[in-house]
């Protein structure tokens, strides 16, 4: 019983931290209402988390927000990714050349999680923050992670539940998503045309390892005209080259005619 109680407390702590991550700041009363728990219990939990520096007082009286101890934990998680270490210099060069926002994402379950982000000089989209996630059917990096897997993975993804719609352009059915994944797989590049944020477009490519399997995805995002309108061919070429450079650092070798020969 003690073990069950301890696990329940850990689960409740994670729920509180997740809510604070989503809200930014919240009072004990707001968290209690969201969780369906007594306010006194949530307040005691917040006090304990505050003592561990996982939670701190917010900008307004009576509110709480995530503490700095979580920053060090998050940094430790991010730094363990080889993909990030190899991608960082390539991403910085791509960012300097284009001035657009550059993302590196890895798959976690049904989501693409951003493990590195370099903000664009013109548009700083808030749709995908560092450490944030998008479902695999939405966005260029997300669909690059899904499109270069076996088709059985596409079916599994579609069968596991309804797909969230972000804008009218988000593909949320098999009839709309599968053709997009097929086009991405055939062309070697994923195109997101306002399907996460209206007015914003993105391009994405897979990062492959020595087995030719998807390890991550690299994407570039900005206002639609800049990504799809001015010099799309030049931008796509830069992105594909960047993705191949990172893939080669992970041991990938292009095989002519193979799925792994993206771009």
């Amino acid at each position: 019983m003690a073990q069950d109680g301890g696990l329940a407390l850990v689960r409740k702590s994670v729920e509180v931290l997740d809510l604070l991550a989503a809200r930014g700041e919240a009072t004990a009363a707001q968290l209690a209402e969201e969780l369906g728990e007594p306010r006194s219990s949530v307040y005691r939990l917040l006090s304990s988390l505050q003592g561990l520096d996982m939670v701190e007082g917010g900008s307004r009286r009576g509110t709480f927000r995530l503490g700095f101890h979580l920053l060090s934990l998050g940094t430790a998680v991010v730094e363990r990714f080889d993909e990030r270490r190899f991608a960082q210099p390539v991403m910085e060069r791509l960012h300097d050349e284009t001035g657009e926002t550059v993302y590196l994402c890895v798959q976690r379950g049904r989501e693409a999680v951003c493990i590195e982000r370099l903000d664009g000089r013109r548009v700083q989209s808030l749709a995908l923050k560092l450490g944030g996630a998008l479902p695999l059917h939405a966005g260029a990096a997300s669909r690059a992670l899904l499109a270069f897997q076996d088709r059985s993975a596409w079916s599994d993804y579609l069968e596991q539940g309804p797909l969230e719609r972000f804008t009218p352009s988000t593909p949320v059915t098999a009839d709309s998503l599968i053709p997009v994944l097929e086009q991405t797989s055939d062309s070697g590049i994923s195109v997101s045309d306002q399907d996460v944020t209206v007015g914003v477009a993105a391009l994405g490519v897979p990062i492959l390892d020595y087995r030719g399997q998807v390890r991550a995805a690299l994407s570039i995002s900005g206002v639609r005209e800049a990504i799809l309108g001015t010099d799309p061919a030049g931008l796509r070429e830069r992105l594909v080259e960047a993705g191949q450079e990172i893939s080669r650092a992970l041991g990938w070798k292009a095989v002519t005619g193979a799925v792994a020969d993206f771009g």
Side-chain angles (χ1 to χ4, degrees):
M1 289 296 292
Q3 288 182 341
D4 291 342
L7 180 59
L9 182 60
V10 170
R11 184 178 293 112
K12 196 62 62 180
S13 298
V14 172
E15 290 175 353
V16 167
L17 295 174
D18 283 343
L19 279 174
L20 288 176
R23 286 174 171 258
E25 293 186 355
T27 65
Q30 290 170 331
L31 295 171
E33 181 179 359
E34 187 83 16
L35 295 169
E37 295 285 339
R39 187 184 306 182
S40 58
S41 298
V42 172
Y43 188 81
R44 285 196 299 271
L45 180 56
L46 287 167
S47 297
S48 298
L49 292 172
Q50 193 168 16
L52 297 171
D53 201 25
M54 291 189 173
V55 165
E56 65 182 24
S59 61
R60 293 175 289 109
R61 183 178 177 83
T63 62
F64 295 86
R65 62 189 178 192
L66 297 181
F68 274 97
H69 185 61
L70 291 171
L71 178 62
S72 62
L73 295 178
T75 301
V77 171
V78 167
E79 288 182 347
R80 73 178 170 86
F81 287 101
D82 287 340
E83 297 91 339
R84 179 181 178 275
R85 177 164 57 91
F86 291 128
Q88 188 76 34
V90 181
M91 293 178 67
E92 290 175 352
R93 185 178 71 243
L94 187 62
H95 178 263
D96 290 342
E97 291 174 351
T98 66
E100 306 295 351
T101 302
V102 182
Y103 296 97
L104 181 69
C105 296
V106 296
Q107 183 175 348
R108 183 186 64 186
R110 290 171 56 81
E111 295 181 320
V113 180
C114 176
I115 61 171
E116 186 57 87
R117 165 181 163 146
L118 302 178
D119 286 339
R121 292 192 288 269
R122 290 179 287 274
V123 175
Q124 298 181 16
S125 173
L126 297 179
L128 185 57
K129 301 178 182 179
L130 182 63
L134 284 172
L136 293 177
H137 67 279
S142 303
R143 286 199 294 271
L145 289 169
L146 183 58
F148 292 90
Q149 298 183 45
D150 293 337
R151 291 184 70 102
S152 60
W154 304 1
S155 300
D156 290 343
Y157 182 77
L158 285 162
E159 290 171 359
Q160 289 176 25
L163 305 186
E164 181 179 0
R165 184 184 296 278
F166 292 87
T167 75
S169 301
T170 311
V172 295
T173 65
D175 288 343
S176 59
L177 179 60
I178 288 180
V180 173
L181 295 176
E182 289 175 337
Q183 183 178 18
T184 299
S185 179
D186 291 342
S187 67
I189 192 163
S190 173
V191 179
S192 171
D193 188 358
Q194 306 183 90
D195 63 77
V196 176
T197 303
V198 174
V200 174
L203 302 172
V205 293
I207 304 300
L208 307 176
D209 63 15
Y210 67 96
R211 299 167 297 178
Q213 296 184 355
V214 183
R215 285 276 295 271
L218 178 70
S219 68
I220 186 167
S221 175
V223 296
R224 186 181 187 278
E225 292 74 15
I227 300 299
L228 303 180
T230 54
D231 182 22
L235 197 59
R236 292 181 188 212
E237 184 177 347
R238 283 195 181 101
L239 182 62
V240 168
E241 289 176 352
Q244 290 179 343
E245 182 176 346
I246 301 168
S247 296
R248 285 193 294 270
L250 290 170
W252 169 80
K253 293 182 180 180
V255 180
T256 303
V259 174
D261 190 16
F262 67 100

